[in-house]
Every structure is written in C-alpha cells, then in structure tokens.
Amino acid sequence: KAGVTQTPRYLIKTRGQQVTLSCSPISGHRSVSWYQQTPGQGLQFLFEYFSETQRNKGNFPGRFSGRQFSNSRSEMNVSTLELGDSALYLCASSPGDGGSSYNEQFFGPGTRLTVL
Amino acid sequence: AQSVAQPEDQVNVAEGNPLTVKCTYSVSGNPYLFWYVQYPNRGLQFLLKYITGDNLVKGSYGFEAEFNKSQTSFHLKKPSALVSDSALYFCAVREKGRRALTFGSGTRLQVQP
C-alpha cells in the first residue's frame, strides 16, 4: 500500500506570496492532519480534516487554511507569506475518524517551504 | 491541556549498549501515547503506541516503551543500539476524546560505532 504523498517536496517563495501544498493520504484513510515543523517551535498542529470537514484547528492565524476533497486528498494554503512561515509542513493520515484517539497517524515526507 | 516533555535534547550511546529516551506527559484524562522517529529529510515514522493494558509495549525495529502511570512517563528503550538508530525521536500524547496530537520537542539519538 502506498504511503502518504506530499507535493511539492520543496518550494521557494517570497514574502507576500501565497502557496498551496497538497497531500494524498494512504488509500482508505479518511482523516488528514497537517503539522508545521520548525527548529524553534518543534512540531505544531495546524488542522485536521475528516469527510471534507475541518474537525480541529491549532493556534495559527487565519492566513493558514485548508480543505479536503471527496477522495480524502487535502490541500493547505498559506496566504501573504512571512519569513517565519519557512518550515517543513507535514501531512498525516489515519484510518477512520480522527476522533478515535487511539489511532496512530502515518506521516508523509513533508514539503520544505522557504520564504525569502 | 495535554503536554509532553522530552528532557534531553540529545542522547549519546555506544553501539551495542542499551538506550533510553525519556518522555513525560501531562493530561487530565486517560492518555494515548506514541513514539515516532524522524530520519533526515524524511517524515515521521510510527514506532509504537500505548493505548491500554500491558505497561510494556513492543514496537518496530526492536524498540519498546514502558508506560508508568504514577510517574506519568513513557520512556523509549532498546536493549542493544545500532548506528542506524541514530535519528530524531518524538514522543506524542493524545488525551482520550481529543483529536490533536501533542508532540514533545524531540530527542536526537546519536549511536557511536
């Protein structure tokens, strides 16, 4: 079974631009979560989607948004990029409803975003 | 609120020796605990989890972890370290009924040949 895939793997943008990152979960997984990883802040939860609905959101500004499609693929968007948005963005999928708290998440390789 | 602490930024161990990576957690309810490993330029790989039952959990690549409720700890262990175990290790917690995973700050494991 193929793992979680994320595209693109690397991205360079300038301040003020916007960016869209894509995530395809493991086949059959319906819950998708996004995380931001930086050296200073570590791994921080962005949001989680299940059945095309955002179920949970972390403490990030409204510039960060996401969506999920009927095939469970997900995208996240960051508008008006800032230098501090440079990070590794990780997508994770899990089977069933994310409300099943005991399910582990399976992570993709991440998208490395650099904002200049 | 749920939180996780990994008190050591780095752990150094010689190949063949046992290793321990420490993790303590704080939740108001029952915890679900996870360990993940991250290799350079890779995403996180799931190692093991504690849900309920036996306090000693066995996972991938020979790793195991011991859940200690009284000490609110979930330390990762391996009897004999390999150089290839060198990586960044994350402990994570999810309180029962909550959706988001909370990760620790990570511990870099360095296994010397």
Side-chain angles (χ1 to χ4, degrees), chain B residues 2 22 29-30 33 47 52 57 61 70 94 98 103 107 111:
Chain B
Q2 56 189 30
K22 296 179 180 177
N30 292 324
L33 295 154
L47 281 178
T52 187
V57 179
Y61 313 120
S70 63
R94 186 193 279 133
R98 294 194 58 163
F103 284 88
T107 298
V111 181

Side-chain angles (χ1 to χ4, degrees), chain A residues 30-69:
Chain A
R30 298 167 63 192
S31 175
V32 173
S33 298
W34 288 89
Y35 295 85
Q36 181 196 64
Q37 185 178 20
T38 59
Q41 299 298 317
L43 275 158
Q44 293 186 285
F45 171 75
L46 279 157
F47 26 65
E48 181 217 346
Y49 287 87
F50 178 79
S51 292
E52 303 176 63
T53 302
Q54 188 181 92
R55 297 299 184 94
N56 200 11
K57 190 177 191 303
N59 189 24
F60 278 82
R63 301 186 295 108
F64 291 81
S65 63
R67 59 178 177 169
Q68 186 180 34
F69 302 95

Side-chain angles (χ1 to χ4, degrees), chain B residues 19-111:
Chain B
L19 69 88
T20 299
V21 182
K22 296 179 180 177
C23 170
T24 58
Y25 66 90
S26 175
V27 296
S28 53
N30 292 324
Y32 296 135
L33 295 154
F34 305 82
W35 274 103
Y36 287 85
V37 60
Q38 186 177 35
Y39 295 98
N41 299 316
R42 303 275 293 274
L44 276 67
Q45 294 179 32
F46 169 74
L47 281 178
L48 51 80
K49 67 180 178 182
Y50 172 80
I51 302 302
T52 187
D54 195 348
N55 289 343
L56 185 62
V57 179
K58 294 188 182 298
S60 306
Y61 313 120
F63 284 94
E64 57 189 29
E66 186 167 10
F67 172 68
N68 187 317
K69 188 172 183 178
S70 63
Q71 297 186 3
T72 61
S73 66
F74 190 56
H75 300 332
L76 182 69
K77 300 181 180 185
K78 188 174 183 182
S80 179
L82 300 172
V83 172
S84 57
D85 293 330
S86 298
L88 188 57
Y89 290 80
F90 290 95
C91 181
V93 67
R94 186 193 279 133
E95 190 174 315
K96 185 178 181 181
R98 294 194 58 163
R99 306 184 73 90
L101 265 179
T102 298
F103 284 88
S105 55
T107 298
R108 188 164 300 281
L109 174 67
Q110 195 70 39
V111 181

Side-chain angles (χ1 to χ4, degrees), chain A residues 4-21:
Chain A
V4 177
T5 58
Q6 293 186 245
T7 56
R9 291 293 309 277
Y10 301 92
L11 207 49
I12 300 175
K13 292 285 188 178
T14 56
R15 279 182 301 174
Q17 287 186 309
Q18 75 167 23
V19 67
T20 298
L21 312 181

